[in-house]
Amino acid sequence: YADAARMAFSAKKWDALETNLQEVRNMAREAMYDMRLLVFELRPFMLETEGLVSVLRARLAAVEDRAGLKTEVLVEGERRLPIVIEEELYRIAQEGLNNVVKHAAARHVRIRIKYDDNSASLEMIDDGLGFDTNTADQSGGFGLQGIKERVQRLAGSLEIKSAPMKGTRLRLRVPIQ
């Protein structure tokens, strides 16, 4: 597209120049988003020192906010959990957020984390396109399956509610050992 833009400029084909420059811009934005996402795909170095809530907020600021998604994090009774639990909860939230950005075309996502004496819960609600939960496992993607497996490893419970054009709510609760 950059080469095509250069040729369009030389030939004074202004419409083609504009189209090609827009494509270059779109591709650069997508590459920047993917690079930010890759940084957070690695085990977040802040998780052990800062905790789940801080790392989620950093992820939202670095990826989702810059992608134009309005985000909100609500926390009740915040405390540190064993690192194994925090890492699994982070990975679940990460996969949910990846799905929101890549598939949901949402404008807003709210994450609520609630800690009590015996459990922690995480809820993620978006206002996106939603999907049919009955056929989601047949789509070939591994995101929801990975979330289910992580919740199982933590001996937790998971509820996913969604419908086409109605957004999605993912809610899970895990025991704290």
Side-chain angles (χ1 to χ4, degrees):
Y1 287 110
D3 287 340
R6 183 179 46 78
M7 290 188 302
F9 179 78
S10 296
K12 298 182 181 178
K13 295 181 178 178
W14 308 123
D15 289 340
L17 173 63
E18 183 177 1
T19 300
N20 288 311
L21 288 176
Q22 185 62 41
E23 287 298 325
V24 168
R25 181 177 183 230
N26 291 342
M27 291 174 72
R29 280 186 173 174
E30 188 172 322
M32 189 169 33
Y33 169 78
D34 287 343
M35 289 303 295
R36 287 188 184 114
L37 196 56
L38 284 172
V39 168
F40 280 91
E41 288 293 324
L42 304 172
R43 182 175 179 179
F45 63 92
M46 292 175 21
L47 196 56
E48 290 181 19
T49 58
E50 301 294 324
L52 175 64
V53 174
S54 292
V55 172
L56 270 176
R57 286 187 170 130
R59 154 71 194 238
L60 291 168
V63 180
E64 282 71 25
D65 289 352
R66 292 184 183 203
L69 188 63
K70 293 187 188 312
T71 62
E72 180 181 15
V73 178
L74 306 168
V75 182
E76 293 180 41
E78 183 176 358
R79 67 185 178 110
R80 293 300 309 267
L81 302 175
I83 190 65
V84 172
I85 295 173
E86 286 195 342
E87 185 166 358
E88 291 289 358
L89 289 175
Y90 175 75
R91 295 296 185 197
I92 290 166
Q94 182 180 44
E95 184 58 45
L97 290 167
N98 289 347
N99 289 342
V100 169
V101 171
K102 290 181 178 180
H103 307 296
R107 294 178 315 233
H108 186 266
V109 65
R110 180 176 58 228
I111 299 173
R112 182 182 312 238
I113 302 171
K114 183 178 179 183
Y115 301 84
D116 61 36
D117 292 339
N118 302 313
S119 66
S121 61
L122 184 144
E123 180 180 64
M124 186 178 309
I125 301 171
D126 72 66
D127 64 353
L129 298 174
F131 59 93
D132 183 346
T133 58
N134 296 318
T135 60
D137 290 336
Q138 301 164 11
S139 69
F142 297 105
L144 289 177
Q145 184 60 37
I147 289 172
K148 290 175 184 177
E149 289 170 5
R150 289 180 188 281
V151 171
Q152 277 183 333
R153 278 197 295 265
L154 294 173
S157 61
L158 174 66
E159 175 186 28
I160 301 172
K161 288 194 174 182
S162 187
M165 307 311 291
K166 304 262 185 191
T168 301
R169 183 181 76 200
L170 179 141
R171 181 186 294 166
L172 63 102
R173 179 177 296 273
V174 297
I176 299 173
Q177 312 294 336

